[in-house]
Amino acid sequence: MNSQLSTLDLSDSVEVLPPTEQLLAISEQKKSGLILCKDYHAEFAGPGAAVSCLVEPAYRAVIAIGSPTLAPMVTVEDRRRAYGRRIQWGRWLQRIVEHPESVVRAEKLLAGFEEFFGRQVVVSLPSEVLALLAGVFPGTIEMARSQHWRTTRFDTAAHLICSDQLKVTTISLSSEKQEVHSVPLLTTATVSEIEQTYAVLRSA
């Protein structure tokens, strides 16, 4: 997957940030996003959200949903809007994880992702990744899947080994065009396996 970073024409009246202070945001041109895996949880950054913030802890792994492209936020207003969108997506996930019942949290996460991306993408996401997002055990995700879609882990693994809409990917802190490495994400992958794959891609 290649990251196509847009070039913006700026008028003299627009306040432009120094290159070292620029950040990237997910393009709003299509339904796509990134799951950002951290030490003990995962976050979702949807269209318009800032990513690769210099003050943000390093990612354990990054999973692309769809084919997100990253655009440089070159003005103060661009950056303010991108941070605002990141906060909005964070609040969307926070409303889900605040529910006291773990199974309900899992069901709400599955339903929310299905509404935005479609069932095939959500069914193909590894349970451990969804568990990091919802703050539940992977087994709770499996239980919610069984109740939500009347399916089993065996059915899911047999019919949807992976989705072409899901990839383990690298993202760049640079605002210059460069190749972004990615590989398909297997439905059965564990977080540990995803992290190892991410490390290999980063070193490529």
Side-chain angles (χ1 to χ4, degrees):
M1 179 179 66
N2 291 327
S3 175
Q4 301 297 324
L5 304 182
S6 62
T7 302
L8 305 180
D9 294 326
L10 303 173
S11 66
D12 294 337
S13 61
V14 176
E15 184 178 358
V16 180
L17 295 170
T20 56
E21 296 183 17
Q22 291 179 11
L23 81 158
L24 302 175
I26 300 170
S27 172
E28 299 185 73
Q29 299 302 314
K30 52 190 172 183
K31 286 187 176 182
S32 61
L34 296 172
I35 296 176
L36 310 172
C37 299
K38 300 189 177 182
D39 286 340
Y40 303 107
H41 73 289
E43 299 177 13
F44 176 71
V51 293
S52 295
C53 311
L54 295 179
V55 297
E56 192 171 17
Y59 306 135
R60 289 174 58 191
V62 177
I63 297 169
I65 304 178
S67 300
T69 54
L70 303 181
M73 301 292 99
V74 296
T75 70
V76 172
E77 182 58 33
D78 287 341
R79 183 168 67 173
R80 184 181 297 113
R81 183 170 58 251
Y83 280 134
R85 289 298 176 85
R86 178 68 179 271
I87 291 171
Q88 288 176 358
W89 284 110
R91 287 175 176 169
W92 169 77
L93 187 59
Q94 183 65 28
R95 286 194 294 270
I96 291 174
V97 301
E98 283 179 344
H99 198 284
E101 296 292 333
S102 59
V103 174
V104 175
R105 293 202 299 272
E107 289 175 343
K108 286 183 176 293
L109 180 66
L110 293 173
F113 270 7
E114 181 182 8
E115 181 179 359
F116 194 68
F117 292 114
R119 178 169 299 188
Q120 181 175 354
V121 167
V122 181
V123 172
S124 300
L125 277 167
S127 293
E128 285 195 19
V129 173
L130 291 168
L132 284 176
L133 286 164
V136 301
F137 291 113
T140 305
I141 295 293
E142 295 293 342
M143 184 185 304
R145 276 178 161 155
S146 179
Q147 295 176 358
H148 189 69
W149 290 313
R150 299 290 191 272
T151 187
T152 65
R153 180 179 177 82
F154 176 81
D155 292 333
T156 298
H159 294 96
L160 289 169
I161 298 302
C162 64
S163 168
D164 59 4
Q165 294 295 304
L166 295 170
K167 296 180 176 66
V168 180
T169 185
T170 60
I171 58 177
S172 172
L173 290 170
S174 171
S175 60
E176 298 178 356
K177 289 184 179 181
Q178 58 179 277
E179 184 178 2
V180 175
H181 303 285
S182 65
V183 297
L185 173 67
L186 296 179
T187 300
T188 55
T190 65
V191 170
S192 178
E193 291 169 342
I194 294 170
E195 185 176 0
Q196 292 173 11
T197 301
Y198 182 68
V200 171
L201 291 175
R202 293 274 292 178
S203 63

